[in-house]
Amino acid sequence: MNKLTINDIAKLCGVGKSTVSRVLNNDPKVSEKTKQHVLAVIKQYNFKPSRSARAMRGIENKVIGIIVTRLDSSSENRVLRGILNRLEELGYEHFITESRFDIELVQEHLYSFEQRQIDGIIVFGFSGLGQKILQPYSSKLVAIAQYYPALTSIYYDDQGAIRLLLERLYQENYRHIGYIGIHKQDYTTGYLRYQSYMDFCAAHQLSPNACLGELNYLTGYALTAEILQQPNTDAIVCATDSLAFGVNKFLQEQQRDDIQVCSVGNNPLLKFLFPQNISINFGLFRAGQSAVELLINLLATGQKTHCCIPSNFE
Amino acid sequence: MNKLTINDIAKLCGVGKSTVSRVLNNDPKVSEKTKQHVLAVIKQYNFKPSRSARAMRGIENKVIGIIVTRLDSSSENRVLRGILNRLEELGYEHFITESRFDIELVQEHLYSFEQRQIDGIIVFGFSGLGQKILQPYSSKLVAIAQYYPALTSIYYDDQGAIRLLLERLYQENYRHIGYIGIHKQDYTTGYLRYQSYMDFCAAHQLSPNACLGELNYLTGYALTAEILQQPNTDAIVCATDSLAFGVNKFLQEQQRDDIQVCSVGNNPLLKFLFPQNISINFGLFRAGQSAVELLINLLATGQKTHCCIPSNFE
DNA sequence: TTGTATGCGTTATCAT
DNA sequence: ATGATAACGCATACAA
């Protein structure tokens, strides 16, 4: 449909195509008069220069690619909100792709972005995704949710989030706190959060009572029964909000309103359905915004930086 | 990083660059021997032709763009699952963008796709999005969730879904059925579903009791109180699962387990938390798959078609 | 079967 | 300040 080229515009204006190009690129060496004329014609015919052709000449065009792991993850969606929010303010376009924790897919998408005049990349890290896969793109890539020493990366304070929850419970005199988390193969959500719980227990002479499983509400439901085998349990900390859905459901069915449930994520639906649940804000929205900041900075200065997002009860 | 060009490969092989190009494009007019040699060198140096340059020569490359309205909509995510599922089978890449019900953003994204060597487009329609915006791209665009006469489109059976729910309730002898929906400015989820309820009531001599509001669980919660002002209400039909979250929550708090709740969407979390809720499968996953089918068919034959996805209790 | 020349829509380097 | 012209990396009609 848009078959107009810079040449057509040139003829339409009665000028050379180089002049049109100059106008397009804000070259100061063009008289105000012709500039306005060319601009008018461009607007009139709604002409847009071909990105492919521009790309061949090495022009950047304010587009960044985003590789998420799961489009239907509510936590990643929160981060995405932060990313898009900041991106929009800066006038950037975005393309989103899904990796589904598949390393090969990540590679395909990275290459695809590279080939499509994309200026920068934000990728959601996961436990299997090694640094060497991302390294070749390090000059324009920001990793999120995982720490990569040689890259620009944003990561969360997994240990701090659990610690904050535990400190609050401890302060409110809970002493028999169970923990429901996910398997340790997952380094951040699994291992780090579990370890934080164990450390806290050791430091405060609490006897630990932890169960680990998959990342979904069914697991939360099933593991609650196991945790309650410790009869004097008075609180349960969940690694994520999705687990907490299951835990709260189980407790509700058993009419156990004597047990305080805590979790990480600050999911609004969870808060609506189970208002008594204490959920900590993991800083996801802010993480998204920060990712954009760091990326823009990286593109401009080439400086690789890192940023750890703190959790809070807001 | 990938600075190799077709010319470099040609020199490396000791052949002309046109020969390399021919190998790249599976041109049969090249001897098996040189073909293998060139292929080997290409593989050795991990050479990939520039998409920008290819695009300028009008090459298609198995990529489709998807414009969703909200990335955090669970129903759109279900459709997306169907789309990506089918796309992967067919070896297509995807780029996803969000419109947030903003017509200008849709236009930007459409243009952006056009400029980036994208073969086909799937766009999620919404009430404000007119046909004329999409028309220019009709040769490679499929609209979903809304009926557009002049385009290839996939839409849901809004009226059928509500009717199926009501028929089931009627058959089970419910006679005082309330309805909680969303405002009629939304043509499909709002108007059509509401109308279907009203029609059913008229046809079966039931006195209607409907409330309309925003599309979220808070609305469902708030409107339930109004519905219950009709004291003998024995069932409530919700236009969507998200409303049903609020409705069920309200009824649970009031310990009203004498009221049957129904909704459209088949959300797994809803089923887990409120197993007694009856939710109908709106065919979202299948809609996604069909969208891809229709798009591929459109690209191949140029034939515009339509498809209405039926709901079912699976 | 293979190489040469030309064009795709830009930007950059020359002249003028 | 402006216009002709040469690249950019690739595909293709044409020549060999």
Side-chain angles (χ1 to χ4, degrees):
Chain A
M1 44 165 290
N2 201 357
K3 299 297 291 176
L4 284 179
T5 80
I6 200 173
N7 232 324
D8 301 322
I9 301 297
K11 281 176 196 146
L12 251 26
C13 295
V15 300
K17 62 175 179 175
S18 354
T19 304
V20 179
S21 176
R22 278 189 263 266
V23 171
L24 249 23
N25 297 319
N26 284 318
D27 192 320
K29 293 182 305 189
V30 52
S31 77
E32 192 60 26
K33 184 163 161 275
T34 48
K35 178 174 176 178
Q36 291 308 326
H37 180 51
V38 172
L39 243 29
V41 174
I42 285 177
K43 186 151 200 172
Q44 179 189 348
Y45 288 87
N46 192 29
F47 163 78
K48 306 271 175 92
S50 152
R51 301 227 193 199
S52 300
R54 304 193 98 193
M56 284 189 53
R57 314 292 289 136
I59 299 292
E60 296 216 338
N61 39 154
K62 301 193 84 162
V63 188
I64 76 125
I66 305 164
I67 307 177
V68 304
T69 63
R70 289 166 46 204
L71 286 162
D72 53 358
S73 153
S74 78
S75 59
E76 289 199 5
N77 260 295
R78 308 272 283 288
V79 183
L80 222 34
R81 283 268 74 80
I83 293 176
L84 299 185
N85 168 279
R86 200 75 194 83
L87 237 35
E88 202 161 324
E89 287 176 8
L90 295 169
Y92 273 74
E93 277 189 86
H94 65 269
F95 286 138
I96 301 169
T97 318
E98 189 188 48
S99 72
R100 237 166 295 161
F101 303 103
D102 182 332
I103 295 178
E104 285 193 26
L105 272 180
V106 172
Q107 277 179 306
E108 272 183 40
H109 293 148
L110 284 172
Y111 178 71
S112 178
F113 282 152
E114 169 96 23
Q115 286 270 302
R116 281 168 206 289
Q117 324 107 334
I118 261 123
D119 306 325
I121 301 173
I122 295 177
V123 51
F124 283 73
F126 49 90
S127 287
L129 186 63
Q131 184 167 261
K132 58 191 161 304
I133 306 274
L134 308 177
Q135 193 103 54
Y137 304 88
S138 67
S139 66
K140 52 175 167 182
L141 180 145
V142 170
I144 199 164
Q146 193 116 0
Y147 175 68
Y148 293 100
L151 300 173
T152 299
S153 65
I154 311 256
Y155 50 99
Y156 314 116
D157 188 9
D158 289 278
Q159 320 202 35
I162 297 297
R163 185 168 25 80
L164 279 172
L165 288 172
L166 289 167
E167 278 169 0
R168 176 159 167 181
L169 288 173
Y170 193 85
Q171 197 178 339
E172 294 176 11
N173 286 318
Y174 291 95
R175 289 296 181 273
H176 302 278
I177 307 172
Y179 177 81
I180 296 181
I182 67 171
H183 49 70
K184 296 184 222 166
Q185 291 96 298
D186 183 307
Y187 180 69
T188 57
T189 315
Y191 174 73
L192 285 181
R193 298 189 193 185
Y194 169 72
Q195 205 45 249
S196 180
Y197 168 75
M198 295 305 278
D199 291 347
F200 189 92
C201 287
H204 295 76
Q205 278 101 36
L206 303 180
S207 54
N209 175 22
C211 289
L212 306 183
E214 294 296 314
L215 179 51
N216 58 55
Y217 43 75
L218 294 172
T219 300
Y221 187 88
L223 293 185
T224 309
E226 299 196 26
I227 291 291
L228 292 185
Q229 300 199 337
Q230 203 68 257
N232 48 4
T233 298
D234 52 14
I236 299 177
V237 170
C238 304
T240 75
D241 277 350
S242 51
L243 291 169
F245 273 110
V247 174
N248 281 291
K249 167 76 170 160
F250 185 92
L251 294 175
Q252 186 179 63
E253 285 178 7
Q254 307 285 322
Q255 311 210 354
R256 293 292 300 264
D257 52 5
D258 56 322
I259 297 185
Q260 175 65 55
V261 185
C262 296
S263 56
V264 178
N266 226 14
N267 182 305
L269 180 57
L270 178 65
K271 186 163 284 177
F272 171 70
L273 291 171
F274 304 104
Q276 74 285 10
N277 185 96
I278 296 176
S279 186
I280 194 167
N281 179 9
F282 203 40
L284 298 174
F285 187 84
R286 182 122 68 92
Q289 293 184 311
S290 298
V292 174
E293 304 290 356
L294 262 53
L295 179 57
I296 301 299
N297 182 60
L298 171 66
L299 294 176
T301 70
Q303 295 210 330
K304 296 186 182 60
T305 45
H306 296 278
C307 174
C308 179
I309 306 290
S311 299
N312 67 296
F313 284 111
E314 63 186 17
Chain B
M1 40 171 294
N2 202 357
K3 297 298 291 177
L4 285 179
T5 82
I6 199 174
N7 230 324
D8 301 323
I9 301 296
K11 281 178 195 146
L12 250 25
C13 295
V15 302
K17 63 175 182 175
S18 16
T19 303
V20 178
S21 176
R22 277 190 262 268
V23 172
L24 250 23
N25 296 315
N26 284 319
D27 191 320
K29 293 180 305 186
V30 51
S31 77
E32 191 60 28
K33 184 161 160 277
T34 48
K35 179 173 177 177
Q36 290 310 324
H37 181 51
V38 171
L39 243 29
V41 174
I42 285 178
K43 186 151 200 173
Q44 179 187 349
Y45 289 87
N46 192 31
F47 164 77
K48 305 273 175 88
S50 151
R51 300 224 193 197
S52 301
R54 305 193 97 199
M56 286 189 53
R57 314 295 286 118
I59 298 295
E60 297 216 336
N61 42 139
K62 300 192 85 160
V63 188
I64 77 125
I66 305 164
I67 306 177
V68 304
T69 63
R70 289 167 46 203
L71 285 162
D72 53 359
S73 152
S74 78
S75 58
E76 290 200 4
N77 260 294
R78 308 271 283 289
V79 182
L80 222 33
R81 283 268 73 80
I83 293 177
L84 299 185
N85 168 279
R86 201 74 193 83
L87 238 34
E88 203 161 326
E89 287 176 9
L90 295 169
Y92 272 74
E93 276 190 86
H94 64 269
F95 286 137
I96 301 169
T97 317
E98 189 188 48
S99 72
R100 238 166 295 161
F101 303 103
D102 182 332
I103 295 177
E104 287 194 24
L105 273 179
V106 172
Q107 277 179 305
E108 273 184 38
H109 293 150
L110 284 172
Y111 178 72
S112 178
F113 282 152
E114 170 96 22
Q115 286 270 299
R116 280 167 207 289
Q117 323 108 336
I118 262 123
D119 306 325
I121 301 173
I122 295 177
V123 51
F124 284 72
F126 49 91
S127 288
L129 185 63
Q131 186 167 261
K132 56 191 163 306
I133 306 275
L134 307 176
Q135 193 104 51
Y137 303 89
S138 66
S139 66
K140 52 175 166 182
L141 180 145
V142 170
I144 198 165
Q146 193 116 0
Y147 175 68
Y148 292 100
L151 301 172
T152 298
S153 65
I154 311 256
Y155 50 99
Y156 313 117
D157 187 8
D158 288 278
Q159 321 203 35
I162 298 297
R163 184 168 23 81
L164 279 171
L165 288 172
L166 289 167
E167 278 169 359
R168 176 158 166 182
L169 288 173
Y170 193 85
Q171 197 177 336
E172 294 176 12
N173 286 316
Y174 292 95
R175 288 295 180 273
H176 303 277
I177 307 172
Y179 176 81
I180 295 181
I182 68 171
H183 48 70
K184 297 184 220 163
Q185 291 95 302
D186 183 308
Y187 180 69
T188 56
T189 315
Y191 174 74
L192 286 180
R193 298 189 194 185
Y194 169 73
Q195 205 45 250
S196 179
Y197 167 76
M198 296 304 279
D199 289 349
F200 189 92
C201 287
H204 295 77
Q205 277 103 35
L206 303 180
S207 55
N209 175 23
C211 289
L212 307 182
E214 294 297 312
L215 179 51
N216 57 54
Y217 43 76
L218 294 173
T219 299
Y221 186 87
L223 294 184
T224 308
E226 297 195 27
I227 290 291
L228 292 185
Q229 300 200 338
Q230 203 69 257
N232 48 3
T233 298
D234 52 14
I236 298 178
V237 169
C238 304
T240 75
D241 278 350
S242 51
L243 291 169
F245 274 110
V247 173
N248 281 291
K249 167 76 173 161
F250 185 92
L251 295 175
Q252 187 178 61
E253 285 177 6
Q254 307 284 323
Q255 312 211 353
R256 294 292 301 264
D257 51 5
D258 58 320
I259 297 185
Q260 176 65 54
V261 185
C262 296
S263 56
V264 178
N266 226 15
N267 182 305
L269 180 59
L270 179 65
K271 186 163 281 176
F272 170 70
L273 293 171
F274 305 105
Q276 73 285 11
N277 185 96
I278 297 175
S279 186
I280 195 167
N281 180 10
F282 203 42
L284 298 174
F285 186 84
R286 181 122 69 90
Q289 293 184 312
S290 298
V292 174
E293 305 290 355
L294 260 54
L295 178 57
I296 301 300
N297 182 60
L298 171 66
L299 293 176
T301 69
Q303 295 209 330
K304 298 186 181 59
T305 44
H306 296 277
C307 174
C308 180
I309 306 290
S311 300
N312 66 296
F313 285 109
E314 63 184 18

mmCIF file with all atom_site columns, all heavy atoms in Angstrom, chain A residues 158-173:
data_model
loop_
_atom_site.group_PDB
_atom_site.id
_atom_site.type_symbol
_atom_site.label_atom_id
_atom_site.label_alt_id
_atom_site.label_comp_id
_atom_site.label_asym_id
_atom_site.label_entity_id
_atom_site.label_seq_id
_atom_site.pdbx_PDB_ins_code
_atom_site.Cartn_x
_atom_site.Cartn_y
_atom_site.Cartn_z
_atom_site.occupancy
_atom_site.B_iso_or_equiv
_atom_site.pdbx_formal_charge
_atom_site.auth_seq_id
_atom_site.auth_comp_id
_atom_site.auth_asym_id
_atom_site.auth_atom_id
_atom_site.pdbx_PDB_model_num
ATOM 1   N N   . ASP A 1 158 ? 15.440 -11.934 46.450 1.00 0.00 ? 158 ASP A N   1
ATOM 2   C CA  . ASP A 1 158 ? 14.716 -13.123 46.912 1.00 0.00 ? 158 ASP A CA  1
ATOM 3   C C   . ASP A 1 158 ? 14.882 -13.336 48.409 1.00 0.00 ? 158 ASP A C   1
ATOM 4   O O   . ASP A 1 158 ? 13.912 -13.556 49.137 1.00 0.00 ? 158 ASP A O   1
ATOM 5   C CB  . ASP A 1 158 ? 15.224 -14.359 46.158 1.00 0.00 ? 158 ASP A CB  1
ATOM 6   C CG  . ASP A 1 158 ? 14.776 -14.363 44.705 1.00 0.00 ? 158 ASP A CG  1
ATOM 7   O OD1 . ASP A 1 158 ? 13.632 -14.778 44.460 1.00 0.00 ? 158 ASP A OD1 1
ATOM 8   O OD2 . ASP A 1 158 ? 15.560 -13.936 43.847 1.00 0.00 ? 158 ASP A OD2 1
ATOM 9   N N   . GLN A 1 159 ? 16.124 -13.293 48.854 1.00 0.00 ? 159 GLN A N   1
ATOM 10  C CA  . GLN A 1 159 ? 16.374 -13.568 50.261 1.00 0.00 ? 159 GLN A CA  1
ATOM 11  C C   . GLN A 1 159 ? 15.757 -12.478 51.131 1.00 0.00 ? 159 GLN A C   1
ATOM 12  O O   . GLN A 1 159 ? 15.167 -12.763 52.183 1.00 0.00 ? 159 GLN A O   1
ATOM 13  C CB  . GLN A 1 159 ? 17.868 -13.661 50.506 1.00 0.00 ? 159 GLN A CB  1
ATOM 14  C CG  . GLN A 1 159 ? 18.578 -14.385 49.377 1.00 0.00 ? 159 GLN A CG  1
ATOM 15  C CD  . GLN A 1 159 ? 19.920 -14.966 49.783 1.00 0.00 ? 159 GLN A CD  1
ATOM 16  O OE1 . GLN A 1 159 ? 20.095 -15.410 50.908 1.00 0.00 ? 159 GLN A OE1 1
ATOM 17  N NE2 . GLN A 1 159 ? 20.854 -14.957 48.861 1.00 0.00 ? 159 GLN A NE2 1
ATOM 18  N N   . GLY A 1 160 ? 15.885 -11.241 50.698 1.00 0.00 ? 160 GLY A N   1
ATOM 19  C CA  . GLY A 1 160 ? 15.340 -10.132 51.471 1.00 0.00 ? 160 GLY A CA  1
ATOM 20  C C   . GLY A 1 160 ? 13.831 -10.214 51.615 1.00 0.00 ? 160 GLY A C   1
ATOM 21  O O   . GLY A 1 160 ? 13.277 -9.917  52.677 1.00 0.00 ? 160 GLY A O   1
ATOM 22  N N   . ALA A 1 161 ? 13.143 -10.628 50.543 1.00 0.00 ? 161 ALA A N   1
ATOM 23  C CA  . ALA A 1 161 ? 11.682 -10.695 50.595 1.00 0.00 ? 161 ALA A CA  1
ATOM 24  C C   . ALA A 1 161 ? 11.232 -11.683 51.663 1.00 0.00 ? 161 ALA A C   1
ATOM 25  O O   . ALA A 1 161 ? 10.370 -11.372 52.502 1.00 0.00 ? 161 ALA A O   1
ATOM 26  C CB  . ALA A 1 161 ? 11.131 -11.098 49.233 1.00 0.00 ? 161 ALA A CB  1
ATOM 27  N N   . ILE A 1 162 ? 11.813 -12.861 51.650 1.00 0.00 ? 162 ILE A N   1
ATOM 28  C CA  . ILE A 1 162 ? 11.454 -13.878 52.642 1.00 0.00 ? 162 ILE A CA  1
ATOM 29  C C   . ILE A 1 162 ? 11.828 -13.392 54.042 1.00 0.00 ? 162 ILE A C   1
ATOM 30  O O   . ILE A 1 162 ? 11.067 -13.547 55.000 1.00 0.00 ? 162 ILE A O   1
ATOM 31  C CB  . ILE A 1 162 ? 12.173 -15.207 52.328 1.00 0.00 ? 162 ILE A CB  1
ATOM 32  C CG1 . ILE A 1 162 ? 11.716 -15.750 50.971 1.00 0.00 ? 162 ILE A CG1 1
ATOM 33  C CG2 . ILE A 1 162 ? 11.916 -16.230 53.435 1.00 0.00 ? 162 ILE A CG2 1
ATOM 34  C CD1 . ILE A 1 162 ? 10.245 -16.094 50.893 1.00 0.00 ? 162 ILE A CD1 1
ATOM 35  N N   . ARG A 1 163 ? 13.010 -12.787 54.153 1.00 0.00 ? 163 ARG A N   1
ATOM 36  C CA  . ARG A 1 163 ? 13.457 -12.313 55.459 1.00 0.00 ? 163 ARG A CA  1
ATOM 37  C C   . ARG A 1 163 ? 12.497 -11.265 56.013 1.00 0.00 ? 163 ARG A C   1
ATOM 38  O O   . ARG A 1 163 ? 12.116 -11.294 57.176 1.00 0.00 ? 163 ARG A O   1
ATOM 39  C CB  . ARG A 1 163 ? 14.878 -11.753 55.354 1.00 0.00 ? 163 ARG A CB  1
ATOM 40  C CG  . ARG A 1 163 ? 15.469 -11.338 56.703 1.00 0.00 ? 163 ARG A CG  1
ATOM 41  C CD  . ARG A 1 163 ? 16.967 -11.074 56.617 1.00 0.00 ? 163 ARG A CD  1
ATOM 42  N NE  . ARG A 1 163 ? 17.429 -10.699 55.299 1.00 0.00 ? 163 ARG A NE  1
ATOM 43  C CZ  . ARG A 1 163 ? 17.333 -9.491  54.772 1.00 0.00 ? 163 ARG A CZ  1
ATOM 44  N NH1 . ARG A 1 163 ? 16.755 -8.534  55.456 1.00 0.00 ? 163 ARG A NH1 1
ATOM 45  N NH2 . ARG A 1 163 ? 17.807 -9.245  53.566 1.00 0.00 ? 163 ARG A NH2 1
ATOM 46  N N   . LEU A 1 164 ? 12.088 -10.345 55.184 1.00 0.00 ? 164 LEU A N   1
ATOM 47  C CA  . LEU A 1 164 ? 11.154 -9.309  55.634 1.00 0.00 ? 164 LEU A CA  1
ATOM 48  C C   . LEU A 1 164 ? 9.870  -9.917  56.161 1.00 0.00 ? 164 LEU A C   1
ATOM 49  O O   . LEU A 1 164 ? 9.334  -9.504  57.196 1.00 0.00 ? 164 LEU A O   1
ATOM 50  C CB  . LEU A 1 164 ? 10.836 -8.349  54.477 1.00 0.00 ? 164 LEU A CB  1
ATOM 51  C CG  . LEU A 1 164 ? 11.870 -7.261  54.195 1.00 0.00 ? 164 LEU A CG  1
ATOM 52  C CD1 . LEU A 1 164 ? 11.522 -6.505  52.920 1.00 0.00 ? 164 LEU A CD1 1
ATOM 53  C CD2 . LEU A 1 164 ? 11.938 -6.284  55.369 1.00 0.00 ? 164 LEU A CD2 1
ATOM 54  N N   . LEU A 1 165 ? 9.346  -10.920 55.432 1.00 0.00 ? 165 LEU A N   1
ATOM 55  C CA  . LEU A 1 165 ? 8.120  -11.576 55.883 1.00 0.00 ? 165 LEU A CA  1
ATOM 56  C C   . LEU A 1 165 ? 8.343  -12.247 57.235 1.00 0.00 ? 165 LEU A C   1
ATOM 57  O O   . LEU A 1 165 ? 7.533  -12.123 58.151 1.00 0.00 ? 165 LEU A O   1
ATOM 58  C CB  . LEU A 1 165 ? 7.666  -12.608 54.842 1.00 0.00 ? 165 LEU A CB  1
ATOM 59  C CG  . LEU A 1 165 ? 7.079  -12.052 53.547 1.00 0.00 ? 165 LEU A CG  1
ATOM 60  C CD1 . LEU A 1 165 ? 6.849  -13.164 52.539 1.00 0.00 ? 165 LEU A CD1 1
ATOM 61  C CD2 . LEU A 1 165 ? 5.773  -11.325 53.821 1.00 0.00 ? 165 LEU A CD2 1
ATOM 62  N N   . LEU A 1 166 ? 9.446  -12.955 57.337 1.00 0.00 ? 166 LEU A N   1
ATOM 63  C CA  . LEU A 1 166 ? 9.733  -13.681 58.577 1.00 0.00 ? 166 LEU A CA  1
ATOM 64  C C   . LEU A 1 166 ? 9.939  -12.731 59.746 1.00 0.00 ? 166 LEU A C   1
ATOM 65  O O   . LEU A 1 166 ? 9.469  -12.979 60.864 1.00 0.00 ? 166 LEU A O   1
ATOM 66  C CB  . LEU A 1 166 ? 10.963 -14.573 58.370 1.00 0.00 ? 166 LEU A CB  1
ATOM 67  C CG  . LEU A 1 166 ? 10.731 -15.787 57.460 1.00 0.00 ? 166 LEU A CG  1
ATOM 68  C CD1 . LEU A 1 166 ? 12.045 -16.427 57.051 1.00 0.00 ? 166 LEU A CD1 1
ATOM 69  C CD2 . LEU A 1 166 ? 9.835  -16.798 58.153 1.00 0.00 ? 166 LEU A CD2 1
ATOM 70  N N   . GLU A 1 167 ? 10.654 -11.637 59.476 1.00 0.00 ? 167 GLU A N   1
ATOM 71  C CA  . GLU A 1 167 ? 10.881 -10.662 60.558 1.00 0.00 ? 167 GLU A CA  1
ATOM 72  C C   . GLU A 1 167 ? 9.567  -10.110 61.067 1.00 0.00 ? 167 GLU A C   1
ATOM 73  O O   . GLU A 1 167 ? 9.359  -9.940  62.265 1.00 0.00 ? 167 GLU A O   1
ATOM 74  C CB  . GLU A 1 167 ? 11.767 -9.515  60.045 1.00 0.00 ? 167 GLU A CB  1
ATOM 75  C CG  . GLU A 1 167 ? 13.249 -9.855  60.070 1.00 0.00 ? 167 GLU A CG  1
ATOM 76  C CD  . GLU A 1 167 ? 14.081 -8.829  59.312 1.00 0.00 ? 167 GLU A CD  1
ATOM 77  O OE1 . GLU A 1 167 ? 13.484 -7.859  58.767 1.00 0.00 ? 167 GLU A OE1 1
ATOM 78  O OE2 . GLU A 1 167 ? 15.306 -9.007  59.245 1.00 0.00 ? 167 GLU A OE2 1
ATOM 79  N N   . ARG A 1 168 ? 8.678  -9.853  60.128 1.00 0.00 ? 168 ARG A N   1
ATOM 80  C CA  . ARG A 1 168 ? 7.375  -9.317  60.542 1.00 0.00 ? 168 ARG A CA  1
ATOM 81  C C   . ARG A 1 168 ? 6.602  -10.326 61.383 1.00 0.00 ? 168 ARG A C   1
ATOM 82  O O   . ARG A 1 168 ? 6.012  -9.984  62.409 1.00 0.00 ? 168 ARG A O   1
ATOM 83  C CB  . ARG A 1 168 ? 6.577  -8.941  59.291 1.00 0.00 ? 168 ARG A CB  1
ATOM 84  C CG  . ARG A 1 168 ? 5.182  -8.475  59.591 1.00 0.00 ? 168 ARG A CG  1
ATOM 85  C CD  . ARG A 1 168 ? 4.628  -7.655  58.466 1.00 0.00 ? 168 ARG A CD  1
ATOM 86  N NE  . ARG A 1 168 ? 3.199  -7.461  58.614 1.00 0.00 ? 168 ARG A NE  1
ATOM 87  C CZ  . ARG A 1 168 ? 2.463  -6.792  57.745 1.00 0.00 ? 168 ARG A CZ  1
ATOM 88  N NH1 . ARG A 1 168 ? 3.036  -6.249  56.685 1.00 0.00 ? 168 ARG A NH1 1
ATOM 89  N NH2 . ARG A 1 168 ? 1.176  -6.646  57.939 1.00 0.00 ? 168 ARG A NH2 1
ATOM 90  N N   . LEU A 1 169 ? 6.608  -11.561 60.931 1.00 0.00 ? 169 LEU A N   1
ATOM 91  C CA  . LEU A 1 169 ? 5.925  -12.606 61.689 1.00 0.00 ? 169 LEU A CA  1
ATOM 92  C C   . LEU A 1 169 ? 6.551  -12.768 63.072 1.00 0.00 ? 169 LEU A C   1
ATOM 93  O O   . LEU A 1 169 ? 5.853  -12.876 64.083 1.00 0.00 ? 169 LEU A O   1
ATOM 94  C CB  . LEU A 1 169 ? 5.986  -13.942 60.931 1.00 0.00 ? 169 LEU A CB  1
ATOM 95  C CG  . LEU A 1 169 ? 5.113  -14.045 59.683 1.00 0.00 ? 169 LEU A CG  1
ATOM 96  C CD1 . LEU A 1 169 ? 5.405  -15.340 58.933 1.00 0.00 ? 169 LEU A CD1 1
ATOM 97  C CD2 . LEU A 1 169 ? 3.631  -13.973 60.051 1.00 0.00 ? 169 LEU A CD2 1
ATOM 98  N N   . TYR A 1 170 ? 7.880  -12.769 63.086 1.00 0.00 ? 170 TYR A N   1
ATOM 99  C CA  . TYR A 1 170 ? 8.590  -12.970 64.349 1.00 0.00 ? 170 TYR A CA  1
ATOM 100 C C   . TYR A 1 170 ? 8.264  -11.858 65.333 1.00 0.00 ? 170 TYR A C   1
ATOM 101 O O   . TYR A 1 170 ? 8.041  -12.083 66.522 1.00 0.00 ? 170 TYR A O   1
ATOM 102 C CB  . TYR A 1 170 ? 10.092 -13.016 64.073 1.00 0.00 ? 170 TYR A CB  1
ATOM 103 C CG  . TYR A 1 170 ? 10.896 -13.518 65.240 1.00 0.00 ? 170 TYR A CG  1
ATOM 104 C CD1 . TYR A 1 170 ? 11.078 -14.891 65.436 1.00 0.00 ? 170 TYR A CD1 1
ATOM 105 C CD2 . TYR A 1 170 ? 11.486 -12.644 66.136 1.00 0.00 ? 170 TYR A CD2 1
ATOM 106 C CE1 . TYR A 1 170 ? 11.817 -15.370 66.503 1.00 0.00 ? 170 TYR A CE1 1
ATOM 107 C CE2 . TYR A 1 170 ? 12.230 -13.104 67.216 1.00 0.00 ? 170 TYR A CE2 1
ATOM 108 C CZ  . TYR A 1 170 ? 12.395 -14.474 67.389 1.00 0.00 ? 170 TYR A CZ  1
ATOM 109 O OH  . TYR A 1 170 ? 13.123 -14.938 68.445 1.00 0.00 ? 170 TYR A OH  1
ATOM 110 N N   . GLN A 1 171 ? 8.225  -10.663 64.780 1.00 0.00 ? 171 GLN A N   1
ATOM 111 C CA  . GLN A 1 171 ? 7.923  -9.504  65.611 1.00 0.00 ? 171 GLN A CA  1
ATOM 112 C C   . GLN A 1 171 ? 6.515  -9.594  66.193 1.00 0.00 ? 171 GLN A C   1
ATOM 113 O O   . GLN A 1 171 ? 6.248  -9.110  67.289 1.00 0.00 ? 171 GLN A O   1
ATOM 114 C CB  . GLN A 1 171 ? 8.073  -8.248  64.751 1.00 0.00 ? 171 GLN A CB  1
ATOM 115 C CG  . GLN A 1 171 ? 8.182  -6.954  65.520 1.00 0.00 ? 171 GLN A CG  1
ATOM 116 C CD  . GLN A 1 171 ? 8.371  -5.783  64.553 1.00 0.00 ? 171 GLN A CD  1
ATOM 117 O OE1 . GLN A 1 171 ? 8.802  -5.993  63.418 1.00 0.00 ? 171 GLN A OE1 1
ATOM 118 N NE2 . GLN A 1 171 ? 8.045  -4.587  64.979 1.00 0.00 ? 171 GLN A NE2 1
ATOM 119 N N   . GLU A 1 172 ? 5.616  -10.207 65.422 1.00 0.00 ? 172 GLU A N   1
ATOM 120 C CA  . GLU A 1 172 ? 4.244  -10.367 65.904 1.00 0.00 ? 172 GLU A CA  1
ATOM 121 C C   . GLU A 1 172 ? 4.085  -11.671 66.690 1.00 0.00 ? 172 GLU A C   1
ATOM 122 O O   . GLU A 1 172 ? 2.973  -12.185 66.840 1.00 0.00 ? 172 GLU A O   1
ATOM 123 C CB  . GLU A 1 172 ? 3.278  -10.318 64.716 1.00 0.00 ? 172 GLU A CB  1
ATOM 124 C CG  . GLU A 1 172 ? 3.262  -8.937  64.044 1.00 0.00 ? 172 GLU A CG  1
ATOM 125 C CD  . GLU A 1 172 ? 2.380  -8.908  62.788 1.00 0.00 ? 172 GLU A CD  1
ATOM 126 O OE1 . GLU A 1 172 ? 1.632  -9.877  62.567 1.00 0.00 ? 172 GLU A OE1 1
ATOM 127 O OE2 . GLU A 1 172 ? 2.463  -7.923  62.046 1.00 0.00 ? 172 GLU A OE2 1
ATOM 128 N N   . ASN A 1 173 ? 5.232  -12.207 67.130 1.00 0.00 ? 173 ASN A N   1
ATOM 129 C CA  . ASN A 1 173 ? 5.256  -13.347 68.054 1.00 0.00 ? 173 ASN A CA  1
ATOM 130 C C   . ASN A 1 173 ? 4.843  -14.696 67.474 1.00 0.00 ? 173 ASN A C   1
ATOM 131 O O   . ASN A 1 173 ? 4.456  -15.590 68.218 1.00 0.00 ? 173 ASN A O   1
ATOM 132 C CB  . ASN A 1 173 ? 4.403  -13.031 69.300 1.00 0.00 ? 173 ASN A CB  1
ATOM 133 C CG  . ASN A 1 173 ? 5.117  -12.045 70.189 1.00 0.00 ? 173 ASN A CG  1
ATOM 134 O OD1 . ASN A 1 173 ? 6.333  -12.161 70.406 1.00 0.00 ? 173 ASN A OD1 1
ATOM 135 N ND2 . ASN A 1 173 ? 4.384  -11.056 70.691 1.00 0.00 ? 173 ASN A ND2 1
#
